Amino acid sequence: MATERTFSIIKPDATRRNLTGAVTAMLEEAGLRVVASRRIQMTREQAEGFYAVHAERPFFADLVGFMVSGPVVIQVLEGENAVARNREVMGATNPANADEGTIRKVHAESIEANTVHGSDSAENAAIEIAYFFKPEEIVG
Ligand code: RTP
Ligand code: MG
């Protein structure tokens, strides 16, 4: 399996609780390497564009409101099978359904305030990475 990259967001519920390091440690322990990282306050326009695929979903407005409610840490993660490995360590969207030891089981507050985002395919990872990072900001 070749080295792959995925896109991660440490969400506002986690930065608010000072969990950036704790979450990053769990990602690193899962075999992922942080090859780009930046703390930002997302604008409403950025959040709407990022989640455009969910625009018609009933939770869209709440989701955008949540994602701009505080700082986030955007990261590019690199490793073997990085997309799947990251989804595995994140756990299920709803923390009530997440496996023991996953980031969402350990840290998430609710189905919305669920601590992390991770790309769901290699194709989307490339799109999401390019949405926030210039190539020269990623150092593998
Ligand atoms: P993500 O995109 O953040 O990695 O999460 P995911 O793939 O596990 O979940 P997705 O279906 O893509 O949903 C994106 C985010 O929207 C919020 N959500 N709220 N209130 C609700 O029913 C609901 N469902 C989803 C969560 O923050 C979810 O991570
Ligand atoms: Mg998703």
Side-chain angles (χ1 to χ4, degrees), residues 9 12 38-51 60 63-72 74 131-132:
I9 304 176
R38 188 163 75 237
R39 179 171 160 113
I40 62 167
Q41 171 63 54
M42 248 194 231
T43 65
R44 190 159 283 274
E45 292 66 36
Q46 273 178 318
E48 285 171 355
F50 183 75
Y51 282 116
F60 180 70
L63 173 59
V64 169
F66 166 61
M67 291 301 288
V68 304
S69 69
V72 299
I74 53 174
Y131 192 78
F132 285 106

Coordinates of all heavy atoms in Angstrom, one line a residue, residues 9 12 38-51 60 63-72 74 131-132:
I9 N -9.9 17.7 10.5 CA -10.2 19.0 11.2 C -10.5 18.6 12.7 O -11.3 17.7 13.0 CB -11.5 19.7 10.7 CG1 -11.4 20.0 9.2 CG2 -11.7 20.9 11.5 CD1 -12.7 20.6 8.6
P12 N -14.4 22.7 16.7 CA -14.5 23.7 17.8 C -14.8 23.1 19.2 O -14.3 23.6 20.2 CB -15.7 24.6 17.4 CG -15.7 24.5 15.9 CD -15.3 23.1 15.6
R38 N -2.7 24.0 10.8 CA -2.9 25.4 10.9 C -4.2 25.6 11.8 O -5.2 24.9 11.5 CB -3.1 26.1 9.6 CG -3.1 27.6 9.6 CD -2.9 28.2 8.3 NE -4.0 28.1 7.4 CZ -4.0 27.5 6.2 NH1 -2.8 27.0 5.7 NH2 -5.0 27.5 5.4
R39 N -4.1 26.5 12.7 CA -5.3 26.8 13.5 C -6.0 28.0 12.9 O -5.3 29.0 12.6 CB -4.9 27.1 15.0 CG -6.0 27.5 15.9 CD -5.5 27.6 17.3 NE -6.3 28.3 18.2 CZ -7.0 27.8 19.2 NH1 -6.9 26.5 19.5 NH2 -7.6 28.6 20.0
I40 N -7.2 27.9 12.6 CA -8.0 29.0 11.9 C -9.3 29.2 12.5 O -9.9 28.3 13.2 CB -8.2 28.7 10.4 CG1 -9.0 27.4 10.2 CG2 -6.8 28.6 9.7 CD1 -9.5 27.3 8.7
Q41 N -9.9 30.4 12.3 CA -11.3 30.6 12.6 C -12.0 30.5 11.2 O -11.7 31.4 10.4 CB -11.5 32.0 13.2 CG -12.9 32.4 13.3 CD -13.8 31.5 14.2 OE1 -13.5 31.3 15.3 NE2 -14.9 31.0 13.6
M42 N -12.7 29.5 11.0 CA -13.4 29.3 9.7 C -14.4 30.4 9.5 O -15.1 30.8 10.4 CB -14.1 28.0 9.6 CG -13.5 27.0 8.6 SD -14.6 25.6 8.3 CE -13.4 24.3 8.6
T43 N -14.5 31.0 8.3 CA -15.6 31.9 8.0 C -16.8 31.1 7.6 O -16.7 29.9 7.2 CB -15.2 32.8 6.8 OG1 -15.1 31.9 5.6 CG2 -13.9 33.5 7.0
R44 N -18.0 31.7 7.6 CA -19.2 31.0 7.3 C -19.1 30.6 5.8 O -19.6 29.5 5.5 CB -20.4 32.0 7.5 CG -21.7 31.5 7.4 CD -22.7 32.4 8.1 NE -22.7 32.2 9.5 CZ -23.4 31.3 10.2 NH1 -24.2 30.4 9.5 NH2 -23.3 31.2 11.5
E45 N -18.5 31.4 4.9 CA -18.4 31.1 3.5 C -17.5 29.8 3.4 O -17.8 28.9 2.6 CB -17.8 32.2 2.7 CG -18.7 33.5 2.6 CD -18.9 34.2 3.9 OE1 -18.0 34.2 4.8 OE2 -20.1 34.7 4.1
Q46 N -16.4 29.8 4.1 CA -15.5 28.6 4.0 C -16.3 27.3 4.5 O -16.2 26.3 3.9 CB -14.3 28.8 4.9 CG -13.2 29.5 4.3 CD -12.0 29.7 5.3 OE1 -12.2 30.0 6.5 NE2 -10.8 29.5 4.8
A47 N -17.0 27.4 5.6 CA -17.7 26.3 6.1 C -18.8 25.8 5.2 O -19.0 24.6 4.9 CB -18.3 26.6 7.5
E48 N -19.5 26.7 4.6 CA -20.6 26.4 3.7 C -20.0 25.7 2.4 O -20.6 24.7 1.9 CB -21.4 27.6 3.3 CG -22.3 28.1 4.4 CD -23.0 29.5 4.1 OE1 -22.6 30.1 3.1 OE2 -23.8 29.9 4.9
G49 N -18.9 26.2 1.9 CA -18.3 25.6 0.8 C -17.7 24.2 1.1 O -17.9 23.3 0.3
F50 N -17.1 24.1 2.3 CA -16.5 22.8 2.6 C -17.6 21.7 2.7 O -17.4 20.6 2.3 CB -15.8 23.0 4.0 CG -15.1 21.7 4.4 CD1 -13.9 21.3 3.8 CD2 -15.6 20.9 5.4 CE1 -13.3 20.2 4.1 CE2 -15.0 19.8 5.8 CZ -13.8 19.4 5.1
Y51 N -18.8 22.1 3.3 CA -19.8 21.1 3.5 C -20.9 21.2 2.5 O -22.1 20.8 2.7 CB -20.4 21.3 4.9 CG -19.6 20.7 6.0 CD1 -19.0 21.5 7.0 CD2 -19.4 19.4 6.1 CE1 -18.3 21.0 8.1 CE2 -18.6 18.8 7.2 CZ -18.1 19.6 8.1 OH -17.3 19.1 9.1
F60 N -27.7 21.0 8.1 CA -26.7 21.8 7.4 C -26.5 23.2 8.2 O -25.3 23.5 8.5 CB -27.0 22.1 6.0 CG -26.0 22.9 5.2 CD1 -24.8 22.4 4.9 CD2 -26.3 24.2 4.8 CE1 -23.8 23.2 4.2 CE2 -25.4 25.0 4.2 CZ -24.2 24.5 3.9
L63 N -24.8 22.7 11.4 CA -23.4 22.2 11.2 C -22.5 23.4 10.9 O -21.4 23.5 11.5 CB -23.4 21.2 10.1 CG -22.0 20.7 9.7 CD1 -21.2 20.1 10.8 CD2 -22.1 19.7 8.5
V64 N -23.0 24.3 10.0 CA -22.2 25.4 9.7 C -22.0 26.3 10.9 O -20.9 26.8 11.2 CB -22.8 26.2 8.5 CG1 -22.1 27.5 8.3 CG2 -22.7 25.3 7.2
G65 N -23.1 26.6 11.6 CA -23.0 27.4 12.8 C -22.0 26.8 13.8 O -21.2 27.6 14.4
F66 N -22.0 25.5 14.0 CA -21.1 24.9 14.9 C -19.7 25.0 14.4 O -18.8 25.4 15.2 CB -21.5 23.4 15.0 CG -20.4 22.6 15.7 CD1 -20.0 22.8 17.0 CD2 -19.8 21.5 15.0 CE1 -19.0 22.1 17.6 CE2 -18.7 20.8 15.6 CZ -18.3 21.0 16.9
M67 N -19.4 24.8 13.2 CA -18.0 24.8 12.7 C -17.4 26.2 12.7 O -16.2 26.4 12.6 CB -18.0 24.3 11.2 CG -18.3 22.8 11.2 SD -17.1 21.8 12.1 CE -15.6 21.9 11.1
V68 N -18.2 27.3 12.8 CA -17.7 28.7 12.9 C -17.8 29.2 14.4 O -17.5 30.3 14.6 CB -18.4 29.6 11.9 CG1 -18.2 29.1 10.5 CG2 -19.8 29.9 12.3
S69 N -18.2 28.3 15.3 CA -18.4 28.7 16.7 C -17.1 28.9 17.5 O -17.2 29.4 18.6 CB -19.3 27.7 17.4 OG -18.7 26.5 17.6
G70 N -16.0 28.5 16.9 CA -14.7 28.7 17.6 C -13.6 28.2 16.6 O -13.9 27.8 15.5
P71 N -12.4 28.3 17.1 CA -11.3 27.9 16.2 C -11.3 26.4 15.9 O -11.8 25.6 16.7 CB -10.0 28.3 17.0 CG -10.5 28.8 18.3 CD -11.9 28.8 18.3
V72 N -10.7 26.1 14.7 CA -10.5 24.7 14.4 C -9.0 24.5 14.0 O -8.3 25.5 13.7 CB -11.4 24.2 13.2 CG1 -12.9 24.3 13.5 CG2 -11.0 25.0 11.9
I74 N -6.9 22.6 11.2 CA -6.9 21.8 10.0 C -5.6 21.2 9.8 O -4.5 21.8 10.1 CB -7.3 22.7 8.8 CG1 -6.4 23.9 8.7 CG2 -8.8 23.1 8.9 CD1 -6.6 24.8 7.4
Y131 N -8.6 22.7 -0.7 CA -9.5 23.7 -0.3 C -8.8 24.6 0.7 O -9.1 25.8 0.8 CB -10.8 23.1 0.3 CG -11.9 24.0 0.5 CD1 -12.7 24.4 -0.5 CD2 -12.2 24.5 1.8 CE1 -13.8 25.3 -0.3 CE2 -13.3 25.3 2.0 CZ -14.1 25.7 1.0 OH -15.1 26.6 1.2
F132 N -7.9 24.1 1.5 CA -7.3 24.8 2.6 C -5.8 25.0 2.6 O -5.3 25.9 3.2 CB -7.7 24.1 4.0 CG -9.1 24.3 4.4 CD1 -10.0 23.3 4.4 CD2 -9.5 25.5 4.9 CE1 -11.3 23.5 4.8 CE2 -10.8 25.7 5.4 CZ -11.7 24.7 5.3

